[in-house]
Amino acid sequence: MILDQNDFAFPMASHPNILVGPFKQVIPFDNLPLKGALKDEQLTIIENGGVVIENGSIVAVGKYYELRIKYPMADIEFVDQPSVLLPGLIDAHTHICFAGSRAQDYNLKLQGKTYLEIAREGGGIWRSVQHTRKATEKNLTFDVLQRIARHLSEGVTTIEIKSGYGLTVEDELKMLRAIKAASLQTKATLIPTCLAAHTLPKDFQGTHADYLLWMANELLPKIKADVLSNRVDIFVEETAFSIKDAKKYLQIAKDLGFAITVHADQFTPGSASLAASMGAVSADHLEASQDDDIAALAASNTVAMVLPGASLGLGIPFAPARKLLNAGCCLAIASDWNPGSAPMGDLLIQASLLGVYEKLSFAETFAGLTYRAAKALSLTDRGSITAGKLAHMVAFPINDHREILYHQGKMKPFKVWA
Ligand code: NIG
Ligand code: FE
């Protein structure tokens, strides 16, 4: 689907209000708990609903015909297709700023090599770093905008994007500038994150600790000064950085005023607990998390973010989403869209498949794609269809919300507001 200007609701100056609807169902995802399991019975479902928008923000939500009476001067954006309206989806973990392909690595996976083996043998992240270093900032912006357009057409209106394929001060800055340039050319909101601590680049002379210190001293202050990102991520893993080195680096980032997040427990447990103890906004992956990691996340304000696309890309089990929810975690679901472990990049398909394997309710799956994902990005202005929030919304061409997961993500929204 191609989105053009007419697909987005912007009010005219002379008629500030627009009434959008009617929808068979509006599911606002309002008044729901931030943490823990959710039953579908907890959802508010407004039958024959509508939404009043003013200057891109939501003014009122309710029954369509009541809103027509209450807002008689509103312009009408009539929705003639029976449909279900949900908050715009939020993908709170991607690596869609990259150049080149990793089809070669994927083929090695098909022959039975593991992600860690491929990384140790010179493939993996390093392969993408070599391609990305060669790309210009303009090329990267162009490529990232193509991927954003796809995401937006599939209902994803807020997208976190990490650097991490530059791994020098200049190349990391180039990536973050490319993301910033892209953000000026799209209706989607982009949230950039510095992932200079993705892996130790093979051409770096020195230890892991030396590399992190270099990034902490040279790169992070520049990112602050140029307002390129306020978030710092690190990959804690055998082929990346140790818990000890991560702790020091994350503390420096925190002291500089960055929000911190961690690629945690993807293959080796222990770093989700670190994320929780350091007040990270999220701990992401969690495929290998043990009971103590899960308990630490549940007791903290750190969002537990699972990335089913990485499991599908690597052919490994999903993170224990059901267990995380039952333990009381705030569970978000993101795509991890990247050239290596998660090349598919279809958030709705991935979340749907996670749901059927992990036995997640509709409410849990979409909470993880909306207001709980907003929490992971520290965004308080979106994630639900309620007065005062941004009018980021998606409409699916169906009568009943249960059809969405039933189609396993292949049914896409027919209209997206951002
Ligand atoms: O989240 N695990 C580390 N980083 C990415 C993969 C990046 C890559 O392989 O290019 C991930 O899966
Ligand atoms: Fe990732």
Side-chain angles (χ1 to χ4, degrees), residues 63-121:
K63 292 274 188 200
Y64 184 76
Y65 285 101
E66 288 174 13
L67 292 173
R68 278 204 76 160
I69 293 164
K70 208 165 157 205
Y71 295 87
M73 301 299 283
D75 281 348
I76 303 289
E77 186 181 333
F78 190 73
V79 179
D80 54 8
Q81 163 104 39
S83 52
V84 173
L85 189 74
L86 300 179
L89 308 184
I90 297 173
D91 190 349
H93 181 138
T94 83
H95 308 248
I96 57 171
C97 184
F98 64 86
S101 163
R102 295 256 289 281
Q104 206 177 334
D105 285 2
Y106 196 82
N107 206 53
L108 292 172
K109 266 182 259 162
L110 299 182
Q111 293 166 29
K113 290 242 192 246
T114 68
Y115 184 75
L116 296 183
E117 282 166 355
I118 293 167
R120 281 193 209 100
E121 290 167 19

Side-chain angles (χ1 to χ4, degrees), residues 93 95 162 263 285 307 336 338:
H93 181 138
H95 308 248
K162 300 174 195 296
H263 274 70
H285 270 295
L307 310 171
D336 197 22
N338 73 69

Side-chain angles (χ1 to χ4, degrees), residues 3 91 94-102 128 131-132 135 139-157 159-162 165 175 178-179 182 186 188 190 335-339 342-347:
L3 294 165
D91 190 349
T94 83
H95 308 248
I96 57 171
C97 184
F98 64 86
S101 163
R102 295 256 289 281
S128 294
H131 287 295
T132 305
N139 294 150
L140 290 174
T141 300
F142 181 83
D143 287 353
V144 85
L145 280 168
Q146 306 294 306
R147 297 176 188 122
I148 290 165
R150 218 188 87 189
H151 241 18
L152 201 48
S153 74
E154 294 174 354
V156 184
T157 56
I159 310 169
E160 187 262 13
I161 307 178
K162 300 174 195 296
Y165 295 119
M175 288 191 72
I179 297 165
T186 174
L190 307 186
S335 74
D336 197 22
W337 192 356
N338 73 69
M344 179 210 287
D346 191 312
L347 182 59

Side-chain angles (χ1 to χ4, degrees), residues 233-238 240-247 250 260-280 282-290 292-294 296-297 300 302-303:
D233 193 351
I234 186 167
F235 184 21
V236 180
E237 191 47 65
E238 277 170 30
F241 297 96
S242 69
I243 289 183
K244 181 165 162 263
D245 289 344
K247 198 168 175 179
L250 290 173
I260 57 168
T261 172
V262 180
H263 274 70
D265 298 358
Q266 187 178 11
F267 305 103
T268 316
S271 45
S273 300
L274 171 78
S277 73
M278 294 195 72
S282 69
D284 306 21
H285 270 295
L286 312 178
E287 292 88 337
S289 291
Q290 302 295 301
D292 55 336
D293 300 302
I294 293 173
L297 287 174
S300 74
T302 301
V303 173

Side-chain angles (χ1 to χ4, degrees), residues 124-202:
I125 294 167
W126 181 241
R127 210 188 290 286
S128 294
V129 170
Q130 289 165 295
H131 287 295
T132 305
R133 283 185 184 171
K134 283 192 204 120
T136 65
E137 185 184 315
K138 260 207 163 106
N139 294 150
L140 290 174
T141 300
F142 181 83
D143 287 353
V144 85
L145 280 168
Q146 306 294 306
R147 297 176 188 122
I148 290 165
R150 218 188 87 189
H151 241 18
L152 201 48
S153 74
E154 294 174 354
V156 184
T157 56
T158 302
I159 310 169
E160 187 262 13
I161 307 178
K162 300 174 195 296
S163 67
Y165 295 119
L167 310 189
T168 65
V169 172
E170 266 320 305
D171 288 302
E172 285 293 304
L173 288 171
K174 177 180 76 179
M175 288 191 72
L176 291 168
R177 287 193 199 110
I179 297 165
K180 189 168 184 171
S183 74
L184 303 174
Q185 299 174 58
T186 174
K187 301 280 181 193
T189 304
L190 307 186
I191 306 292
T193 302
C194 172
L195 180 56
H198 204 178
T199 191
L200 186 72
K202 289 200 188 294

Side-chain angles (χ1 to χ4, degrees), residues 34-38 264-265 272-273 276 282-300 302-308 317-334 354 358-360 364 372:
L34 196 53
K35 294 168 83 171
L38 285 175
D265 298 358
S273 300
S282 69
D284 306 21
H285 270 295
L286 312 178
E287 292 88 337
S289 291
Q290 302 295 301
D291 289 349
D292 55 336
D293 300 302
I294 293 173
L297 287 174
S300 74
T302 301
V303 173
M305 193 162 345
V306 297
L307 310 171
F318 290 121
R322 179 73 265 149
K323 213 168 163 182
L324 287 158
L325 282 165
N326 288 352
C329 293
C330 175
L331 185 90
I333 304 169
L354 175 75
E358 282 291 311
K359 313 305 169 204
L360 308 184
E364 288 167 334
R372 290 177 170 181

